[in-house]
Amino acid sequence: MKLKATPLSYALAMALFFLVALNYPFVRALLASMGGLRLGNVTDALLVLSALYAALFLMFFLTAWKRITKPIACFLLLTAAPAAAAIQGLGFEFSPLVIRSVFKTDLVEARGVVSPAWFASFLLLGLLPSVLVLRKVEIEHPPLRRHLAQKAAAIGAALVAAVALYLPNQLFFNSFADNATNHRLKNMVVPFNYLDALGGFLGEEWASLRPRGGGAAGGPGRGHADAGRGRALAGSGRRTVVIFVLGESARARSFSLNGYARETNPRLARRGVVSFTRFEACATATAQAVPCLFSSLGEKDFSYQRAEETDNLLDVAQRAGYQVTWYENGMGAQAVSRGVTEVKLGSYYRAERDRVLIDRLPTRADVVAAGKDQLIVLHERGSHGPDYAARYTPEFRAFTPDCDSSVLKSCSHDAVVNAYDNSILYTDANLDDAVEWLDRLGPDFNTALLYTSDHGESTGEDGWYMHGLPKSIAPEDQTRVPFIAWFSPGLAEAEALDVDCVRRLKDRPYSHDNVFHSTLGLLDVETPAYRAAEDVFRACRAVPPAPPRSASAPRGGGNGS
């Protein structure tokens, strides 16, 4: 037996279901922000919920047309249920960047989010209601003229109700809208939060489809083709090998090298590395941060379209004669490794712990046989949540009890932080092993290691979890990342690099905008894209000036020796 409904009754029922069942995390957070269940607070909350119910009703009523009513209802149910579960279990915040990350994710990352509670929510609040709407509800649409009149009347009634609700309570609504906490509450309202983020993402994609002018020489639409080598490293008589480690979700605050009370970097501390304490990420999610930090554009001028049209750090290094290899164990290279050799570890379905990156490095004999200077990029899975405990092995379980659930809110805050800190401790060991690998190459090589993370991470502080918030409202834990440098004595000598001078700069403010120029400077690569003012190490390096090259000199030539 089917339940008969009109567009009006359908919209009223759907709006009520979304308000009560799917916006439960919002209602709970709303009451908490107002101080709990007290009479005055409940009255204020009812004002907000009345406005939300009216907005939900209008959305469903205005989209109730023949042939599209049920498809729209099912789409919203099947997307709102997992979104509400992500908000409830992980404190998820939706933005165009988060939507982009969803499209870029792999099954390993998705499995970390899909908990039994998330799956149950999807079944009970998404799939089951969708089946009921499709099979058990029959919506009887009136003739078109009457239907249009009803919709016009609904809009008019909503406007009258909005005025009647707002005018006597305008002081409350204005203060509520201006409150910074309530900007966060707005991002919890299902389905408007993720629909708005999806619209922003599609707008970015549409804008990227517009034709743009080509870049500089070196391929259609690609810039920075002209790159060569300076005299410092080339004249040392030694080959150069630099490892660039790209971390994941590592925040600077959790590194004992930066003053954290817990000993999370015991091995790096013994290496005498330089750790920069005020280094800012250009974005709070991998999908944007990775292409941004490897580009020459900087955060302010970055766009996905421009990044695709312009040679990045790896392209320029390769043109200058370096053999560039990207080892991938993280969230994907985000098209950054498009022109270089990429070695994929793990799989779309199965994550490897980051030790595999060290195990897969070539032998010294292979490095010698390659006959070229090398830039090696190791992309870690790092400290990506929510399943922090899956990122490290038992011997690194130093801080306990540690949360072993992907439903972070089911664990205490201390347990979440313990698991996260253990993942940083594991990263410390892998970075130390990478330095040890460089050391074993011996005095015939100039070597160095650079490490930074794509973005930081929240572990429940002030209710924030994981990452992906717009930078305008993101807490510092999501935006401040580590930047660590280690130099071999041979490289420091060849470049006349004063490491003590570099150490004195560690507390100055820098950002991902400095990565492109600092790395090329360290590699002794000459290119018009390089800006000395953005090179963190330049002030401490007395590089001899290179002689002018003739116009007929080959582009991208390296020492190859």
Side-chain angles (χ1 to χ4, degrees):
M1 178 180 176
K2 288 194 173 185
L3 177 66
K4 295 186 181 294
T6 65
L8 179 64
S9 61
Y10 152 81
L12 289 169
M14 288 292 288
L16 185 62
F17 181 76
F18 266 69
L19 180 68
V20 174
L22 294 171
N23 275 294
Y24 167 74
F26 165 76
V27 175
R28 183 177 177 182
L30 175 68
L31 289 171
S33 73
M34 292 179 170
L37 285 170
R38 291 185 296 198
L39 181 60
N41 298 336
V42 171
T43 302
D44 290 342
L46 286 175
L47 289 173
V48 176
L49 296 178
S50 298
L52 175 57
Y53 180 76
L56 288 166
F57 163 73
L58 276 179
M59 179 185 69
F60 284 108
F61 189 58
L62 295 179
T63 58
W65 299 91
K66 281 184 180 180
R67 296 187 179 87
I68 68 168
T69 305
K70 289 187 177 182
I72 289 176
C74 291
F75 167 76
L76 292 173
L77 286 166
L78 293 173
T79 53
I87 294 169
Q88 175 65 19
L90 297 172
F92 226 61
E93 299 282 338
F94 288 91
S95 67
L97 185 53
V98 166
I99 298 296
R100 181 178 297 277
S101 299
V102 168
F103 282 106
K104 296 281 187 179
T105 194
D106 58 15
L107 190 59
V108 172
E109 184 178 3
R111 275 196 318 221
V113 175
V114 180
S115 64
W118 184 94
F119 193 66
S121 176
F122 174 71
L123 289 178
L124 296 176
L125 301 180
L127 187 60
L128 180 60
S130 296
V131 172
L132 293 176
V133 167
L134 287 173
R135 300 178 65 93
K136 296 298 183 181
V137 177
E138 183 178 335
I139 302 174
E140 299 177 335
H141 293 273
L144 180 60
R145 186 171 296 178
R146 192 194 316 164
H147 198 183
L148 289 172
Q150 289 176 353
K151 282 185 165 43
I155 294 173
L159 290 174
V160 171
V163 172
L165 195 65
Y166 174 75
L167 286 179
N169 302 289
Q170 56 182 309
L171 181 60
F172 165 74
F173 279 114
N174 290 342
S175 61
F176 182 82
D178 290 338
N179 190 308
T181 301
N182 298 324
H183 286 294
R184 180 183 178 190
L185 287 172
K186 178 194 72 173
N187 289 329
M188 298 178 70
V189 178
V190 174
F192 302 115
N193 52 358
Y194 67 83
L195 291 178
D196 179 63
L198 179 62
F201 166 71
L202 293 176
E204 291 175 354
E205 290 298 289
W206 176 259
S208 71
L209 295 177
R210 298 181 205 163
R212 291 175 178 264
R222 299 285 291 276
H224 308 162
D226 190 14
R229 298 290 294 279
R231 294 194 304 165
L233 296 180
S236 69
R238 297 184 291 265
R239 291 208 181 102
T240 298
V241 179
V242 172
I243 292 180
F244 188 107
V245 183
L246 176 59
E248 171 65 51
S249 303
R251 64 187 184 199
R253 180 169 68 86
S254 295
F255 280 62
S256 55
L257 290 170
N258 297 334
Y260 190 46
R262 283 179 165 175
E263 192 63 71
T264 53
N265 305 122
R267 290 173 60 172
L268 286 179
R270 292 194 293 270
R271 287 283 179 188
V273 300
V274 181
S275 181
F276 291 81
T277 62
R278 299 175 62 192
F279 208 81
E280 185 172 318
C282 65
T284 61
T286 305
Q288 181 174 335
V290 172
C292 179
L293 76 91
F294 280 101
S295 80
S296 63
L297 300 170
E299 178 185 346
K300 182 179 179 182
D301 296 323
F302 175 82
S303 72
Y304 296 100
Q305 177 77 3
R306 291 189 66 191
E308 290 175 1
E309 293 175 343
T310 307
D311 281 356
N312 60 41
L313 168 62
L314 309 186
D315 299 319
V316 177
Q318 185 164 261
R319 291 183 188 280
Y322 276 89
Q323 177 177 302
V324 182
T325 309
W326 179 290
Y327 290 83
E328 176 58 48
N329 193 47
M331 305 287 110
Q334 313 299 325
V336 170
S337 62
R338 62 201 171 192
V340 304
T341 301
E342 182 176 353
V343 179
K344 293 186 178 180
L345 308 173
S347 71
Y348 185 84
Y349 308 97
R350 179 175 58 88
E352 296 277 3
R353 291 191 178 91
D354 287 329
R355 173 67 201 188
V356 70
L357 292 164
I358 310 302
D359 293 339
R360 288 294 299 274
L361 287 171
T363 65
R364 185 182 188 281
D366 291 335
V367 175
V368 172
K372 299 182 74 173
D373 293 343
Q374 296 200 32
L375 171 61
I376 297 171
V377 181
L378 308 181
H379 189 194
E380 296 183 320
R381 194 160 286 268
S383 300
H384 196 285
D387 47 347
Y388 303 119
R391 303 289 166 251
Y392 51 89
T393 51
E395 61 267 33
F396 291 92
R397 194 168 172 255
F399 309 111
T400 57
D402 50 341
C403 178
D404 60 359
S405 171
S406 61
V407 184
L408 295 177
K409 289 190 175 182
S410 69
C411 297
S412 69
H413 175 64
D414 287 346
V416 173
V417 172
N418 287 342
Y420 182 81
D421 286 351
N422 288 337
S423 74
I424 300 296
L425 186 66
Y426 183 71
T427 294
D428 172 75
N430 286 319
L431 292 176
D432 182 65
D433 286 339
V435 173
E436 178 64 27
W437 181 87
L438 289 170
D439 255 351
R440 288 200 303 269
L441 292 179
D444 294 336
F445 288 85
N446 302 311
T447 58
L449 178 140
L450 298 177
Y451 167 78
T452 190
S453 181
D454 55 353
H455 51 74
E457 187 86 341
S458 292
T459 54
E461 297 79 13
D462 298 322
W464 301 113
Y465 287 90
M466 294 181 64
H467 53 267
L469 287 173
K471 280 195 71 177
S472 58
I473 63 169
E476 188 175 275
D477 278 343
Q478 294 188 28
T479 61
R480 187 163 290 186
V481 293
F483 183 65
I484 295 171
W486 173 86
F487 318 99
S488 70
L491 182 136
E493 177 189 24
E495 295 199 345
L497 178 65
D498 184 345
V499 179
D500 288 333
C501 168
V502 176
R503 207 178 305 280
R504 289 193 293 271
L505 303 177
K506 69 183 184 63
D507 295 321
R508 293 188 181 183
Y510 297 107
S511 74
H512 277 165
D513 289 0
N514 299 103
V515 169
F516 179 92
H517 310 282
S518 301
T519 307
L520 288 182
L522 192 66
L523 295 172
D524 197 20
V525 170
E526 296 178 346
T527 172
Y530 169 79
R531 294 195 296 271
E534 300 294 326
D535 182 347
V536 172
F537 312 120
R538 182 64 185 87
C540 301
R541 191 176 61 241
V543 180
R549 286 182 292 160
S550 67
S552 60
R555 290 177 176 172
N559 60 12
S561 58

